[in-house]
Each structure stands twice: as C-alpha cells, then as structure tokens.
Amino acid sequence: KYIELQVTENVYDCEANLAVLKLYQFNPSHYQTNVTIKILLKAIANLPHPDFSLCKYLIEPDKLREEPLSSVVALGNQLETCDFEEFWQNLASTKSSIPAIGSVMGFTDSVRKFICHVVGISYQKIKTDQLCRILDIKRDQLAVYLEEYGWKLVPDDPSHVFVFNYEETIKTRNISEKIGFPQVKQLAPVLQNAASDCHKRAK
C-alpha cells in the first residue's frame, strides 16, 4: 500500500522500497512482479541518484531477465547511459504492455529533469532540435525549460541553445595569508643561519 501511495501521490521513500526488495529475497513466495516494477520506476525517476542500481542488486538476475521486468530495466539502463532518444522510443512502445508506467505520477517530468541535469553539466551550447529530441518535446514547449534552467537561445543563431557560460563562473580570488609574530620569531634563527651561510660562501 505504501508503494502504491508513492506511485499515486508522487512521493518517494528509497529505504522502504529497498526493504521490500530485501524481504522478497528472504520470502520468494511473496514476490510480486508488479510491485517490483513500480519500485524500479520510482528509482528511475530519482536519477541521477544510484537508487536504480541499488534496487537491481536486490533482485534475482533471472527475474531481471524476464518480461516485463527486463523492459523496465532496459529503460533505466538507457537513461543511465544517456541514450535518451532510444529511451523515449522504447517508453512509447512499452507503455501499452506495462500499465504501471502510466500510473507513476510525474514519471516523465522526473526523467526530463534528469536529462536537463545531464545537459547542464555536459554542454555549453547544444542544437535546439537536438535538445527537443532528447527531451521528447515540441519546439513550442522549449521555452518552459529555457526559463526554468536559465538557458537562452543564441542571439545570432537560434538553432542553438546557450546552456552554460563558463566565463561567468570564473571569478578572481584574493588569497591572503596572515603570519603572526610567534611564527616570525620561530623563523628568525633559521633565516639568520641561512644569511650567515650565504655571507661565508660569498667570501
């Protein structure tokens, strides 16, 4: 019931979900594929956090290779490897066979948020059409994401989106070191000996 609440109310509790998967390991007769699918989908929606991988480690490999679980795993793997266009294509074809995907509130919004995160740390400038494709949105929807993430169309080239200006983040820093009298007092004999040695060598 708690997992179903996470699905319908768009809340998330990774620790509880991992505990359920662990209980399935100890009690395989109680294993439920549909519940496991929902746990994986919630973990995928929480990328870039490693929850998806943690969940997979607690599921028997044989089960991960079985349908429909294998299709959900494939979706998560495609996002982790940044194969975004392939992800959207597979998601469209998988929704009909796995109704749970459509029941997870905010799933596609969370995926797009993750993709924007990847774009933000990977690009300084990206083609507008490419950005629309990896977000699976139409051109007239792009303005919402530009405003949310502070991205801008390149003024003299609207076919590109200006994602990040590295020059604006580079700031000069004044480094000041304070040396107190006790430190100078400790150094005085060393400096005096060094000066004496230099004087002797000069003679």
Side-chain angles (χ1 to χ4, degrees), residues 52-152:
F52 177 62
S53 295
L54 293 175
C55 289
K56 286 193 297 182
Y57 295 145
L58 293 176
I59 302 172
E60 294 295 328
D62 291 342
K63 289 184 171 62
L64 289 176
R65 290 190 290 267
E66 296 175 355
E67 287 289 358
L69 210 61
S70 62
S71 294
V72 177
V73 171
L75 291 173
N77 291 339
Q78 285 162 354
L79 284 178
E80 285 190 321
T81 56
C82 299
D83 194 356
F84 300 134
E85 293 185 53
E86 188 71 19
F87 164 82
W88 292 114
Q89 292 175 9
N90 285 347
L91 181 66
S93 62
T94 305
K95 273 185 176 181
S96 58
S97 59
I98 307 179
I101 293 176
S103 68
V104 178
M105 182 177 290
F107 180 74
T108 54
D109 289 338
S110 297
V111 169
R112 290 189 175 102
K113 183 177 180 180
F114 166 65
I115 294 173
C116 287
H117 164 75
V118 173
V119 170
I121 62 175
S122 306
Y123 288 88
Q124 183 173 6
K125 186 169 66 173
I126 185 173
K127 290 183 178 179
T128 306
D129 291 341
Q130 180 185 0
L131 182 58
C132 290
R133 286 198 307 272
I134 63 177
L135 288 174
D136 193 41
I137 60 174
K138 298 187 181 299
R139 178 66 181 267
D140 57 4
Q141 297 174 287
L142 185 60
V144 175
Y145 295 90
L146 297 183
E147 182 178 357
E148 182 175 353
Y149 292 94
W151 302 341
K152 298 178 182 178

Side-chain angles (χ1 to χ4, degrees), residues 140-189:
D140 57 4
Q141 297 174 287
L142 185 60
V144 175
Y145 295 90
L146 297 183
E147 182 178 357
E148 182 175 353
Y149 292 94
W151 302 341
K152 298 178 182 178
L153 292 173
V154 178
D156 57 347
D157 183 13
S159 65
H160 286 79
V161 172
F162 198 62
V163 176
F164 192 70
N165 187 354
Y166 292 96
E167 294 179 357
E168 290 182 358
T169 64
I170 299 174
K171 298 180 180 179
T172 58
R173 175 181 291 183
N174 294 324
I175 301 175
S176 58
E177 296 184 6
K178 295 182 179 179
I179 300 177
F181 180 75
Q183 288 84 2
V184 175
K185 186 177 180 181
Q186 292 174 2
L187 288 173

Side-chain angles (χ1 to χ4, degrees), residues 16-28 57-59:
N17 296 349
L18 292 174
V20 170
L21 295 178
K22 194 67 179 176
L23 287 171
Y24 283 162
Q25 285 185 325
F26 295 132
N27 303 275
Y57 295 145
L58 293 176
I59 302 172

Side-chain angles (χ1 to χ4, degrees), residues 2-4 6-7 11-24 35-36 38-43 46 51 54-55 58-59:
Y2 185 41
I3 293 171
E4 192 63 35
Q6 294 179 53
V7 168
V11 294
Y12 184 57
D13 189 337
C14 179
E15 294 298 327
N17 296 349
L18 292 174
V20 170
L21 295 178
K22 194 67 179 176
L23 287 171
Y24 283 162
V35 173
T36 304
K38 291 176 180 178
I39 289 175
L40 285 176
L41 290 172
K42 291 298 293 184
N46 201 44
D51 304 0
L54 293 175
C55 289
L58 293 176
I59 302 172

